[in-house]
Amino acid sequence: MREAVASALAELARRDERAADLARLALDTLAPDQEIQRLNQHTVQRFCWYELPIRFQDSADDRLFAVRSLSHLFQLLKLNRYADVCRASETATLLTLYDADHTAGLAMYERLMWESGVEPPDLPELTWGTSVGDVEMHARRETAAALELAITLGDIRPGKSGWRPAQERFARSFLTQPDHRGLSHLDRVREERVRAWISSSAHPHRQRLWPLVGQIIAGADVPRGSTAAMAPLQRMLDLASEGIALTQIGYISPGVVRQLCEDFGWSTTPEPPRSETDATQIIALHQVLRTMRAVRRSGRRLELTRRGQQLREDPEALWQAATETLCRTGGIQQAAAETLLGMLLGRSPQGLGSHARPGISDAEAAERTLTESGWRPVDPPLAAGRHAAAHRRAAETASDRVRAMVMAVGWLLEALGLVTGDDSDGRRELTPAGRAFAVASLHRSAVAPRAVV
């Protein structure tokens, strides 16, 4: 192959030495060491439509000359499909558009990539990230090459009716096809993401999840007990479909609170509850439904959103939405959920060790873990002086806030019947459905795509 490249470059140099120099530079970017057998259409398109404008920011004429030079080289190498990309009218239009409106140029680039059919689509199983590791980069490159071959063979026909579902089906089949070791591209991407997620230096509390890494990578299917667990959320969605009356400050009306507590046998303090604030179960359910954008406030009523209606009609989707929501809130709230779920999984029959602390509540143990991990950077109280009391109060307030966030996660697990036992001495355990819920929640957080910030 190198001989063929050298010969083609020599022929191009005889015609136009500057064109040969630019084509050589472009090819060095596209195919290091001139390994043109590794080229694919996705790489060529990205170079022509995105990377080239960055290299030649000052002159559209230079961009057009460079892409024409590369086209000539591809023609000499008999890579006519890639030559067509370089000399396409859309390429010339895009390279000129960047001068007039860079944002519009980027929008056109994304549209052209999608319309070409070789851009790997996002799937329910895998949303591609913008900050990726080597494994994910390789998987995306291989998927793009496989899509190119499928288009060449006519299995996918971009622009024709039904081509997008066909593209998704092909991509899913390719990504989930196991290799000789029984692992697919999807398996390897998930493992890479989970390991990066746990080892993140910005989230030191996750270091305690390493004993659970195998479970987090594997995730968990929707269990048989999911319908029973989701019953309280399902009931609130049913009520919201007709509109739930709210108090002036936005709490669920006392009558609805009392009815829900009676129907599900929830104990409250006082009993019967006088408002939503007396029923921790309803506080947790109300919050998670708002977080997943299943309900919204409209005046003095709580109503279903379009997403809420979809979840109401699909109990399995409701389970998946709940697991996705719990550990995707960000900041200390997410850290609290991850820490408590890790503690409970470590204590469960399928856990591998435990980082719970005997004799204290789960909320207190999780709060201490988070504090030790650096989530509460409060200076120690002064030994004496007029500021000592203020320092002490600040530390206690911060500690209470962290503990309250952990307790809120526990309230949700209790409301859904996913834990058993008393929280007073760290002896609560997850039910079988609770273990599936905890693993799925951590898995969904860990395999979510990372974005470049």
Side-chain angles (χ1 to χ4, degrees), residues 182-202:
L183 296 175
S184 67
H185 284 297
L186 180 59
D187 294 329
R188 295 182 187 279
V189 170
R190 284 175 171 173
E191 179 175 356
E192 180 182 56
R193 287 186 177 183
V194 170
R195 292 186 180 279
W197 180 83
I198 294 180
S199 60
S200 170
S201 59

Side-chain angles (χ1 to χ4, degrees), residues 12 15 19 67-77 83 86:
L12 186 57
R15 301 178 186 178
V67 80
R68 283 196 296 266
S69 300
L70 184 59
S71 173
H72 293 323
L73 178 61
F74 282 146
Q75 284 180 294
L76 291 170
L77 291 169
C86 296

Side-chain angles (χ1 to χ4, degrees), residues 98-128:
Y98 274 110
D99 277 345
D101 189 335
H102 187 75
T103 301
L106 290 175
M108 183 177 179
Y109 155 69
E110 293 177 356
R111 176 176 62 79
L112 289 178
M113 288 294 287
W114 176 239
E115 290 176 350
S116 72
V118 297
E119 178 70 37
D122 289 334
L123 303 170
E125 302 90 339
L126 176 64
T127 298
W128 299 101

Side-chain angles (χ1 to χ4, degrees), residues 29-59:
T29 300
L30 287 165
D33 298 325
Q34 298 183 353
E35 296 178 353
I36 60 174
Q37 67 274 14
R38 298 184 61 186
L39 276 178
N40 62 51
Q41 184 177 333
H42 185 277
T43 302
V44 173
Q45 290 178 176
R46 178 179 170 82
F47 177 81
C48 292
W49 299 341
Y50 180 74
E51 296 176 12
L52 190 63
I54 294 176
R55 293 190 173 209
F56 296 93
Q57 296 184 11
D58 298 330
S59 171

Side-chain angles (χ1 to χ4, degrees), residues 244-253 276-277 282 286 290 296-302:
I244 299 175
L246 299 174
T247 65
Q248 187 171 357
I249 58 176
Y251 290 124
I252 293 175
S253 67
E276 180 182 338
T277 58
I282 296 178
H286 189 175
R290 282 186 177 272
R296 63 179 176 85
R297 181 176 179 177
S298 178
R300 294 282 295 274
R301 296 170 70 81
L302 192 68

Side-chain angles (χ1 to χ4, degrees), residues 152-234:
T152 302
L153 296 175
D155 295 333
I156 300 172
R157 299 182 179 184
K160 302 297 183 180
S161 177
W163 80 269
R164 291 183 180 179
Q167 183 202 41
E168 290 182 3
R169 287 193 299 271
F170 181 89
R172 177 178 293 107
S173 176
F174 178 80
L175 286 166
T176 56
Q177 183 68 33
D179 61 13
H180 66 282
R181 295 179 55 192
L183 296 175
S184 67
H185 284 297
L186 180 59
D187 294 329
R188 295 182 187 279
V189 170
R190 284 175 171 173
E191 179 175 356
E192 180 182 56
R193 287 186 177 183
V194 170
R195 292 186 180 279
W197 180 83
I198 294 180
S199 60
S200 170
S201 59
H203 300 87
H205 66 280
R206 293 176 183 161
Q207 294 295 319
R208 296 172 181 265
L209 298 175
W210 275 114
L212 302 167
V213 63
Q215 293 182 56
I216 297 174
I217 291 172
D221 295 330
V222 179
R224 291 182 179 178
S226 63
T227 301
M230 293 295 104
L233 286 173
Q234 185 76 53

